Amino acid sequence: MSTWEATGLGSHPGEDHLEAARIVFGEVPGLPYLPELPARGVGADMVGRTAGLLVDLPVEVQPSGWRLSDRPGRDHHRAVDHLRRDLDGLEEVAHDYAGPLKLQVCGPWTLAGSIELKFGDKMLSDPGAVRDLTASLAQGVADHCAEVRRRLPGVTEIVLQLDEPGLPGVLAGTVPTASGFGRLAAVEEWRVEESLRLFPEPVVHCCAPGVPFDLLRRAGVRGVSVDGALLRRRDEEALGELFEAGMTLLLGVVPGRDTRLADAGVVARPAVGLWRRLGFAPDRLAEQVVLTPACGLAGASPAYARAALAACRKAAQVLRDDPADGMETG
């Protein structure tokens, strides 16, 4: 069970990491996070940023994208420098913060479907390479979390978010080969389950259709983060089992790009409606559902990014303060 209320998914617009951190800690103080700024370019993107954490697996950028290399080069160093600067900013903004903190990294399967081997296809095509990548990422994430704890001793727990937008395609066998002319073989569910257990109780974020809720529940993840607009009624049985297991759902309820934001009751409605259909007690709603934007905020204006987080927090207060009333009016 969580008391996080609301949070964001990670990415923010612009290149000012200090301002992004201030917005995060100001608007979602229940579960702030280290913001990501992909507008800064190579090494600030989701894949490159996480690849900079890998242990003994240096990467570089080729015309086709990220690829393993023999030694750390300019692109690898750029990713490491971006993250170090972000951590410096985080330490400046949150030096006296006490509470949970969320860190986001690209998950192993999306990473394996994005990084190419030195001479060949994507890492996803080679089970041995995927095992090496997952082990390297697990160690890199552990080191990253340890550094954050050292810099911010008031952090009570680190919530690890694994971004896995590519996971449904990995399981369905629809990830294209490096050439683009074929598709890589589907990966067995047990391999995915086994890999996720290497990470400490992660929240898995997947903004694609076909989120494998049952697999994630079996893998023992702490929570699942989804775009509420992509949920279908056929997902609700699996969601009910997820809630029964005590897991948390991070539900995307406001768009990630500029639009006119509805009032708090309307923003909360998808969560209220889902909970009512599943038949759970109203007082559990705010304990197991955390409201977020539907996706990252990198494509939004800075003003909208702030407003979107504020809207999620206000809607979360509706879930917490008036759950029974929300059941009747939602």
Side-chain angles (χ1 to χ4, degrees):
M1 304 290 180
S2 80
T3 54
W4 300 333
E5 295 189 349
T7 190
L9 296 178
S11 66
H12 276 244
E15 301 183 27
D16 187 340
H17 61 288
L18 283 171
E19 178 62 15
R22 291 188 189 104
I23 288 172
V24 166
F25 279 83
E27 300 300 340
V28 285
L31 184 58
Y33 53 95
L34 177 63
E36 304 160 3
L37 302 174
R40 293 179 298 188
V42 172
D45 59 292
M46 178 179 70
V47 172
R49 184 177 178 87
T50 301
L53 293 174
L54 295 174
V55 176
D56 298 328
L57 284 179
V59 294
E60 62 185 359
V61 174
Q62 296 291 327
S64 58
W66 289 95
R67 180 181 293 176
L68 294 181
S69 60
D70 292 324
R71 62 187 63 83
R74 180 180 60 185
D75 304 319
H76 186 279
H77 290 308
R78 188 175 296 161
V80 171
D81 287 345
H82 280 316
L83 183 57
R84 184 178 298 117
R85 193 175 304 114
D86 290 347
L87 291 175
D88 290 344
L90 177 70
E91 191 173 2
E92 179 178 335
V93 170
H95 60 92
D96 58 352
Y97 171 73
L101 179 73
K102 183 163 70 70
L103 302 175
Q104 308 83 218
V105 300
C106 186
W109 295 98
T110 298
L111 208 60
S114 304
I115 299 177
E116 295 179 7
L117 298 162
K118 292 177 191 174
F119 307 104
D121 214 322
K122 295 176 178 177
M123 297 188 77
L124 185 61
S125 66
D126 182 340
V130 174
R131 283 194 297 273
D132 291 344
L133 174 69
T134 304
S136 173
L137 179 60
Q139 182 59 59
V141 165
D143 294 343
H144 180 43
C145 292
E147 179 172 3
V148 170
R149 286 189 178 280
R150 179 180 61 78
R151 288 172 175 259
L152 297 178
V155 167
T156 56
E157 66 170 331
I158 289 179
V159 179
L160 176 66
Q161 175 181 307
L162 297 178
D163 290 323
E164 284 284 14
L167 184 54
V170 166
L171 294 167
T174 60
V175 177
T177 58
S179 69
F181 294 117
R183 296 289 181 270
L184 297 176
V187 172
E188 301 95 327
E189 289 194 355
W190 68 265
R191 294 186 187 276
V192 175
E193 290 179 40
E194 190 176 73
S195 69
L196 294 176
R197 293 192 184 102
L198 295 178
F199 299 89
E201 292 189 301
V203 169
V204 175
H205 169 62
C206 183
C207 54
V211 177
F213 292 107
D214 288 337
L215 181 159
L216 296 173
R217 177 175 50 79
R218 293 195 305 268
V221 305
R222 180 177 194 168
V224 181
S225 170
V226 299
D227 178 351
L230 297 180
L231 291 179
R232 298 294 177 260
R233 291 297 174 96
R234 64 176 177 268
D235 295 320
E236 291 187 1
E237 181 178 350
L239 284 168
E241 293 179 1
L242 180 150
F243 290 128
E244 287 283 9
M247 294 166 60
T248 300
L249 179 68
L250 281 70
L251 186 64
V253 290
V254 299
R257 292 177 180 267
D258 290 41
T259 188
R260 183 176 179 179
L261 291 166
D263 65 35
V266 175
V267 172
R269 193 172 293 164
V272 170
L274 171 65
W275 204 254
R276 184 180 62 232
R277 290 191 298 275
L278 292 175
F280 291 114
D283 59 358
R284 287 178 54 191
L285 171 56
E287 295 180 358
Q288 288 188 262
V289 177
V290 177
L291 300 185
T292 73
C295 54
L297 296 166
S301 67
Y304 179 82
R306 182 192 295 269
L309 293 179
C312 290
R313 189 180 82 249
K314 290 174 185 173
Q317 289 168 357
V318 172
L319 304 189
R320 186 166 299 278
D321 296 340
D322 298 301
D325 181 63
M327 294 295 170
E328 294 167 6
T329 61

